[in-house]
Amino acid sequence: MWIRRDDLIDPLISGNKAYKLFYNLIEARRRGASTLVTCGGAWSNHIHAVAAAGSRFGYRTVGVIRGEKPPKLSATLSDAERMGMVLHFVSRMEYRKRGEKDFFSRLDLQAGESYFIPEGGGNLLGVEGIQLLGEVIEDTMPVKFDQIWVACGTGATFAGLSLTMDRVRVIGVEVLKAGDSILRGVCEWGSRLRCANKLLDVARVDYRTALRESLIGGYHCGGYARYPDWLRSFHFDFEAETGIPLDPVYMVKVFNGLSDRISKGEIPIGSRILVLHSGGLQGRRAYIK
Ligand SMILES: *Cc1c(COP(=O)(O)O)cnc(C)c1O
């Protein structure tokens, strides 16, 4: 097993969020935007990365945060504020409407010339940034990997890799109860990207079936950010044995899933597996003091 340490690519704009932001930042610059607007929860890795990107590349940033303002900000949000992000709290009910067309204009963010990045960086440019990562992996892999394992939140990372890499099977571990929403998202991004690059024909039924089989749904441990005690034990054992830090929301679930599949004999002996460490370590502070 190999681990690609994208948690180490940058101290602040880390992991898969860096790739998802890459083309978005270029596009914001091209449009002459002065402000980046985005949204997320109190421990969001994406909020943290956008705040850092804004301060490094000279954008004002506005974060629309799910839930009422707490008496004490989470470590993630205090970092974001320190990096200059203006936080705008909305109730959970209001936050659910974030997909609506005039959601952000209704909030009166006074954001000037703003460029909007959706939650988690999960837009088409985000997926294209991940495709760049896929190309890098394919061009530089030291051996031919049989599988590459990644965590799935919005599924943008899984989509970008599976839509790019045709020599390696990409396996996505869903960290939340996603139903078939991740699969649908991947197919939609795939058909939109098909115009831009003709790598894979996602309209094909067999391709859709292959994708479904590559998304693993049984390891969310009860839902997003659920972190039962037994998972914590697995987490601590993993870190003690390997010296590699994991976050409790994404990476620990990937390694638990992989370890479970290996112990059940479902992965052929001799398989060469790459695990993408997609970062998220700032969020560790929510669980581990
Ligand atoms: C955001 C995040 C993910 C999820 O990526 P998606 O592209 O939304 O599926 C995975 N791992 C880490 C560490 C993250 O912060």
Side-chain angles (χ1 to χ4, degrees):
M1 183 180 77
W2 284 253
I3 302 178
R4 184 182 159 89
R5 298 289 305 276
D6 276 325
D7 58 316
L8 296 174
I9 54 172
D10 186 275
L12 289 172
I13 312 173
S14 150
N16 62 347
K17 300 302 181 283
Y19 299 94
K20 292 200 274 188
L21 284 176
F22 185 71
Y23 288 120
N24 276 297
L25 290 170
I26 291 174
E27 180 62 14
R29 186 73 88 214
R30 195 187 65 78
R31 291 195 200 166
S34 58
T35 307
L36 307 173
V37 179
T38 192
C39 53
W43 292 98
S44 161
N45 296 325
H46 168 72
I47 287 283
H48 202 267
V50 170
S55 101
R56 191 170 314 163
F57 301 113
Y59 295 97
R60 292 176 358 106
T61 50
V62 175
V64 175
I65 309 300
R66 180 183 63 231
E68 307 296 342
K69 184 171 183 181
K72 185 173 182 299
L73 287 183
S74 68
T76 303
L77 295 182
S78 14
D79 283 356
E81 218 172 46
R82 203 161 356 94
M83 293 187 279
M85 183 176 261
V86 174
L87 303 176
H88 191 96
F89 292 86
V90 301
S91 70
R92 282 167 190 271
M93 206 154 82
E94 186 64 19
Y95 191 82
R96 255 176 247 132
K97 302 180 190 152
R98 67 194 178 281
E100 289 174 12
K101 229 176 163 186
D102 57 347
F103 176 80
F104 289 92
S105 51
R106 278 205 309 266
L107 292 179
D108 186 26
L109 301 169
Q110 299 178 323
E113 289 300 309
S114 57
Y115 178 80
F116 173 68
I117 305 173
E119 190 175 62
N123 61 5
L124 200 64
L125 288 175
V127 174
E128 288 180 294
I130 298 286
Q131 288 192 292
L132 196 63
L133 169 62
E135 285 165 26
V136 168
I137 294 174
E138 279 208 320
D139 289 349
T140 60
M141 50 189 179
V143 296
K144 194 203 159 296
F145 298 123
D146 299 300
Q147 301 182 349
I148 157 164
W149 283 57
V150 300
C152 289
T154 65
T157 302
F158 173 80
L161 293 180
S162 16
L163 293 166
T164 306
M165 310 182 75
D166 40 15
R167 288 186 283 146
V168 185
R169 173 142 184 241
V170 183
I171 309 273
V173 176
E174 300 178 347
V175 305
L176 64 161
K177 291 183 189 163
D180 64 352
S181 66
I182 292 182
L183 179 70
R184 275 186 283 118
V186 177
C187 290
E188 195 197 311
W189 278 317
S191 39
R192 286 168 68 193
L193 282 166
R194 198 148 52 103
C195 331
N197 65 29
K198 300 190 163 42
L199 284 172
L200 288 167
D201 186 354
V202 291
R204 275 176 16 223
V205 175
D206 54 341
Y207 182 64
R208 202 174 266 254
T209 310
L211 273 183
R212 177 171 288 123
E213 285 168 4
S214 299
L215 281 167
I216 305 185
Y219 296 106
H220 52 64
C221 307
Y224 185 76
R226 293 294 165 85
Y227 185 57
D229 286 344
W230 65 263
L231 188 64
R232 178 186 290 258
S233 307
F234 172 85
H235 189 173
F236 285 11
D237 288 348
F238 180 95
E239 292 186 345
E241 272 174 42
T242 63
I244 297 173
L246 304 178
D247 80 296
V249 177
Y250 296 97
M251 289 318 299
V252 75
K253 291 184 179 175
V254 173
F255 281 104
N256 173 56
L258 177 57
S259 151
D260 187 57
R261 290 280 161 117
I262 291 172
S263 65
K264 287 181 175 149
E266 287 169 20
I267 295 181
I269 290 175
S271 299
R272 280 162 298 199
I273 294 175
L274 175 70
V275 180
L276 182 74
H277 193 321
S278 42
L281 294 175
Q282 71 82 27
R284 222 171 166 280
R285 298 173 291 178
Y287 298 82
I288 299 158
K289 299 285 181 267

